[in-house]
Amino acid sequence: MVPHQLRPPETNIRNITVENIDETFGNVVRKREWEVYIRTLYKRKDRKVNPVNTPLPNGVNPGGGPNFGSTHRPPVDHRSGKIVPKGSRLTPERLARMKIGGEMLSENEKQLFIDILFKYEGAIAFDDSEMGLLNPEIEPPVKIHTVPHTPWQQQNIRLPRAMQQEATKHVREKLENGMLEFSQGPYRSRYFLVEKKDGKYRFINDVQPLNKVTIRDSGMPPSVDEFSEDFAGYLIVTSVDYYSGYNEIPLDKDSRDLTAFLSDVGLVRSTRLPQGWCNSVATFQRIVGKVHCRQIPHEVRLFIDDAGMKGPKSRYNDEFVAPGIRRFVAEHAEIFRKFMHDAWIAGLTISGLKSAIGMPGIEIVGMICDYDRRHPEEKKVQKILQP
């Protein structure tokens, strides 16, 4: 082992050294097991790079303002989100794959939610080409505030040929979608890929050098327990996942060079909120809080890009307010309508396939919440119980 103080600078690292091999690896392990072990260590907690704790200059704030909807506006709200041809996104095939109502709702009640989805069809995405972009009235493009520093240039990690080709494919797709653009600045970070559960790869832009010079944003999401327990005891609930949430938030041009990395097609930089940046969580939490502030916390709670919507706790003796539509369902549908309206006005899009609408229970932040209780997902319990 090379003593820490004698190791070469990080910019020259080309190989991986596995340190502190414990008795777990005393036995012979397969190559696949080593790969899994290594891939889970790309961001070790004890080597985490922390941002800088120092005040922002001149008390600068992020700009924009909260979306209070009709509460602070004339009765008729003339603002508009993206309008798309009816049925261009909500095709019969896609609607059939969406989670709407389960077995609890009647056909009329399901149609109530479907009608709301069609009204705000421009706020629903199923692929990157349909992804939204935040309205600057809510918040202008995000600025990265840093302390004085010297630009860095890192060497890329050498990847196997097949993985390198996959990385270049990711870069080309992001350039085509406008999430990346070319750069000619002095910054150059490295990148790598991490395999996901489905066998595909997640592209990681290593922003640790940026985190080291970033001024901390001390905002944060609620605790998981506090958030999830708020959805137990409701007859009907909805969970919404924003589609590729960070990629819906534009990055200020003056901050983009800070995210640059060298790819096979050249030096490129991010145009959206960077994954892995130390302030991305606080930034996104703040932005969606502005978008949905008129419904927080009595109707909606937010955990980064996961949103939960509450419903009545009473069935009102299954009172009907319209043919085939019960009162408690209609009240929850109105909560959902307001949520979708505010997301649409803000220019954001929800994931059509990851959202669960008008359900008797939802899976959110790793917990199952329904009328009876809140409990962890069964598959996670089984993993913990495995010897």
Side-chain angles (χ1 to χ4, degrees):
M1 295 292 178
V2 182
H4 178 73
Q5 64 270 24
L6 297 180
R7 288 178 192 162
E10 191 177 31
T11 53
N12 293 326
I13 292 176
R14 291 282 185 168
N15 301 307
I16 296 175
T17 303
V18 180
E19 303 179 48
N20 301 324
I21 300 178
D22 58 24
E23 58 185 13
T24 305
F25 293 96
N27 301 319
V28 176
V29 294
R30 292 174 297 152
K31 178 183 177 184
R32 177 67 178 172
E33 293 173 324
W34 273 108
E35 289 176 347
V36 170
Y37 178 71
I38 292 169
R39 284 173 184 161
T40 58
L41 290 181
Y42 73 90
K43 202 172 184 182
R44 288 178 52 136
K45 186 174 180 180
D46 62 336
R47 297 182 184 177
K48 182 179 178 181
V49 174
N50 293 311
V52 182
N53 272 319
T54 191
L56 286 169
N58 304 317
V60 63
N61 71 14
N67 177 23
F68 286 110
S70 59
T71 307
H72 293 264
R73 294 180 183 273
V76 178
D77 192 341
H78 295 289
R79 296 174 301 165
S80 175
K82 184 168 185 174
I83 298 174
V84 300
K86 186 174 181 179
S88 59
R89 296 186 180 184
L90 291 171
T91 63
E93 295 77 17
R94 286 174 168 180
L95 274 172
R97 295 171 62 194
M98 292 181 69
K99 305 181 188 75
I100 305 175
E103 298 179 357
M104 182 182 72
L105 301 189
S106 68
E107 289 304 312
N108 285 2
E109 289 168 338
K110 289 181 182 179
Q111 190 61 47
L112 182 62
F113 288 97
I114 292 171
D115 289 344
I116 294 170
L117 290 170
F118 273 114
K119 183 175 182 179
Y120 301 110
E121 192 169 357
I124 307 165
F126 293 85
D127 58 49
D128 287 354
S129 68
E130 299 168 342
M131 182 169 54
L133 195 64
L134 180 69
N135 184 336
E137 289 184 13
I138 301 295
E139 185 158 320
V142 174
K143 291 186 177 182
I144 297 177
H145 299 284
T146 65
V147 295
H149 61 274
T150 301
W152 55 85
Q153 296 87 37
Q154 288 187 308
Q155 295 292 334
N156 280 335
I157 298 171
R158 188 171 181 179
L159 301 176
R161 183 177 296 275
M163 193 178 287
Q164 185 64 56
Q165 291 173 348
E166 185 68 22
T168 303
K169 178 184 174 183
H170 276 257
V171 170
R172 287 199 305 264
E173 289 174 352
K174 289 176 184 290
L175 283 168
E176 185 177 353
N177 291 329
M179 290 184 279
L180 290 176
E181 64 184 15
F182 285 95
S183 172
Q184 57 179 6
Y187 297 89
R188 187 181 71 233
S189 297
R190 62 189 179 188
Y191 70 89
F192 50 95
L193 299 181
V194 175
E195 189 173 358
K196 298 191 289 187
K197 293 179 182 178
D198 59 6
K200 298 179 181 179
Y201 288 101
R202 176 177 287 110
F203 189 96
I204 305 292
N205 180 8
D206 186 359
V207 293
Q208 290 184 90
L210 172 58
N211 289 344
K212 191 181 296 185
V213 300
T214 295
I215 297 175
R216 181 191 299 272
D217 181 337
S218 60
M220 59 187 297
S223 71
V224 171
D225 280 345
E226 174 194 347
F227 178 77
S228 59
E229 71 183 6
D230 208 14
F231 293 95
Y234 288 95
L235 291 161
I236 182 170
V237 282
T238 289
S239 68
V240 159
D241 193 315
Y242 271 107
Y243 186 90
S244 193
Y246 287 5
N247 288 327
E248 299 193 35
I249 311 301
L251 190 62
D252 189 271
K253 281 192 174 183
D254 290 343
S255 298
R256 293 177 183 178
D257 273 341
L258 292 163
T259 68
F261 61 91
L262 187 63
S263 70
D264 280 353
V265 299
L267 189 68
V268 294
R269 63 185 190 180
S270 179
T271 64
R272 310 291 170 87
L273 193 64
Q275 297 277 350
W277 178 48
C278 56
N279 286 346
S280 286
V281 168
T283 299
F284 195 85
Q285 185 75 25
R286 178 183 69 244
I287 288 171
V288 290
K290 288 181 178 181
V291 173
H292 300 292
C293 64
R294 65 169 172 154
Q295 289 186 282
I296 299 170
H298 54 292
E299 294 176 342
V300 171
R301 292 295 302 273
L302 302 162
F303 190 93
I304 318 176
D305 59 352
D306 289 323
M309 277 159 263
K310 307 170 188 177
K313 289 192 173 183
S314 170
R315 296 182 72 100
Y316 304 117
N317 295 317
D318 281 338
E319 171 191 348
F320 285 88
V321 295
I325 299 176
R326 290 165 288 180
R327 178 181 169 186
F328 78 91
V329 176
E331 288 186 2
H332 184 67
E334 176 59 18
I335 291 171
F336 178 66
R337 185 201 65 78
K338 286 190 286 186
F339 180 93
M340 289 301 299
H341 175 82
D342 291 344
W344 182 64
I345 290 296
L348 302 180
T349 47
I350 70 167
S351 171
L353 297 180
K354 291 185 178 180
S355 300
I357 302 163
M359 305 293 284
I362 54 173
E363 177 185 314
I364 197 161
V365 293
M367 303 293 288
I368 305 295
C369 302
D370 53 32
Y371 181 70
D372 296 319
R373 59 180 179 141
R374 173 186 66 124
H375 54 95
E377 296 176 53
E378 183 62 28
K379 61 184 179 182
K380 293 192 174 181
V381 174
Q382 292 303 320
K383 282 186 178 181
I384 293 171
L385 294 177
Q386 284 177 357

